Amino acid sequence: MAVIGIDLGTTNSLGCVYRNGKTELIPNAYGSYLTPSVVSMTEDGKLIVGQPAKDRLITHPERTVSSFKKDMGTGRSWKPGEKSFLPEELSSLVIRSIVEDAQNYLGEEIEEAVISVPAYFHDEQRVVVKRAGALAGIHVERIVNEPSAAALASYFTANEEQNMLVFDFGGGTLDVSVVDCFENVISINAISGNNHLGGTDFDRAMAEYFCFKNGLNYYLLDLPFQQSILRACEQAKIKLSTQSVAEVSLVHLNKNYNCIFDENVLFNTTHSLLESCKNVIGKAVKDSGFSASELDSLILVGGSSKMPVLQHYLSDALNIPVLKEENMDSLVTLGLGKY
Ligand code: AMP
């Protein structure tokens, strides 16, 4: 019976299986490897998970919840409808969705999984993640630290002793770890992070700039228009990882609103966010006891690490080679397969 790996992310989750000597990512029902960690409840009480739930963030924001992983083990509950849910209950729905995709993909029952969690998760939070697995009907065989999994994926490529900085930048969180890999032993020397810094902050900074350029005040707009602007800015931000210019163009109440973004504009609008990223790295390096010159590489992980503006900024600011793995948003998952 196959054991699957699940990278339960704050923004997106992924599943993988280790077969024929390699890690395979598992596509979901929509043909994508990324399943948004979003849950929505319809008016008649039906729960929707993943991409269709993410789409409802715009149409039904009050019935849709996201980023609940951050509250794992805090006792906070969320109410996407008439009923309240704990983060582990919401996470169990995401896990269940990935397990079902895996069963369809592999054509067999899945009863066990290895799940990755941030290195800073304490014991109680790890127990809560196991409970989320149990609620989804699976046994969590092992909990693995995300930076260790990412380092393992990268280390096996490099195959030599390395001191690495793992920079995991997702939608709403930044986790930086100093990881030492030697003879198949991966140890985490220091961790640092910011639970309120991620890709959505870049979207918001772009949205504020878009509004400024169009004579609007972002904070005075109605929620659906704010969400449309955010979504359009996120798309432009993603385009800027493969092209030099991206336009945001929206129509609202029969009026046209436009704004052009390029790396320079993005740099100026998000400079304080970039600086915050650098400061989190600085703290991890300081706490590790290593000097920057003793670190071999910076491994970029997570969807937000794909931003060229960030890569250029970090390359200029740090004196360490910045490794751009091809699969930044699946590096943790690819490492998970090796456990
Ligand atoms: P993750 O939590 O690792 O799935 O990362 C999700 C975040 O990555 C979201 O804020 C996305 O907007 C962002 N993201 C995904 N792909 C890209 C890309 N190509 N360029 C910039 N940001 C991206």
Side-chain angles (χ1 to χ4, degrees), residues 11-12 170-171 199-200 234 237-238 241 302-304 306-307:
T11 318
N12 291 298
T200 51
E234 181 186 14
K237 175 189 76 177
I238 289 173
S241 64
S304 298
K306 293 188 207 165
M307 288 187 287

Side-chain angles (χ1 to χ4, degrees), residues 115-298:
I115 299 184
S116 57
V117 299
Y120 62 80
F121 260 29
H122 52 68
D123 287 349
E124 168 61 15
Q125 288 174 299
R126 287 163 198 256
V127 169
V128 170
V129 171
K130 285 192 173 172
R131 200 180 306 144
L135 289 171
I138 52 155
H139 170 67
V140 180
E141 201 224 296
R142 194 166 177 180
I143 297 276
V144 169
N145 288 318
E146 289 164 5
S148 306
L152 191 62
S154 201
Y155 174 64
F156 267 63
T157 319
N159 223 4
E160 58 191 33
E161 187 191 352
Q162 298 232 341
N163 280 325
M164 303 170 172
L165 257 174
V166 180
F167 181 89
D168 187 351
F169 200 24
T173 51
L174 170 63
D175 297 313
V176 176
S177 318
V178 179
V179 179
D180 175 47
C181 302
F182 182 54
E183 289 189 347
N184 283 349
V185 178
I186 297 185
S187 48
I188 299 176
N189 287 313
I191 54 175
S192 174
N194 186 335
N195 245 343
H196 299 282
L197 179 62
T200 51
D201 295 297
F202 285 73
D203 305 339
R204 200 170 316 103
M206 291 171 74
E208 285 172 16
Y209 179 77
F210 172 88
C211 288
F212 169 73
K213 280 286 179 191
N214 285 283
L216 300 168
N217 181 337
Y218 174 78
Y219 294 96
L220 298 180
L221 303 176
D222 58 68
L223 194 57
F225 191 30
Q226 281 184 345
Q227 293 285 353
S228 308
I229 298 173
L230 283 176
R231 177 65 77 96
C233 286
E234 181 186 14
Q235 282 163 1
K237 175 189 76 177
I238 289 173
K239 277 189 191 151
L240 286 177
S241 64
T242 50
Q243 59 193 52
S244 54
V245 176
E247 183 177 10
V248 174
S249 183
L250 289 171
V251 179
H252 183 67
L253 303 175
N254 290 327
K255 278 178 96 175
N256 286 313
Y257 300 96
N258 300 291
C259 181
I260 305 260
F261 286 94
D262 61 18
E263 186 167 328
N264 209 18
V265 172
L266 195 57
F267 177 81
N268 289 324
T269 49
T270 62
H271 189 257
S272 63
L273 300 172
L274 295 168
E275 216 166 62
S276 301
C277 292
K278 188 179 73 177
N279 294 341
V280 174
I281 293 181
K283 179 164 188 324
V285 174
K286 187 164 175 273
D287 292 351
S288 74
F290 286 114
S291 64
S293 62
E294 287 173 295
L295 296 167
D296 296 300
S297 50
L298 176 88

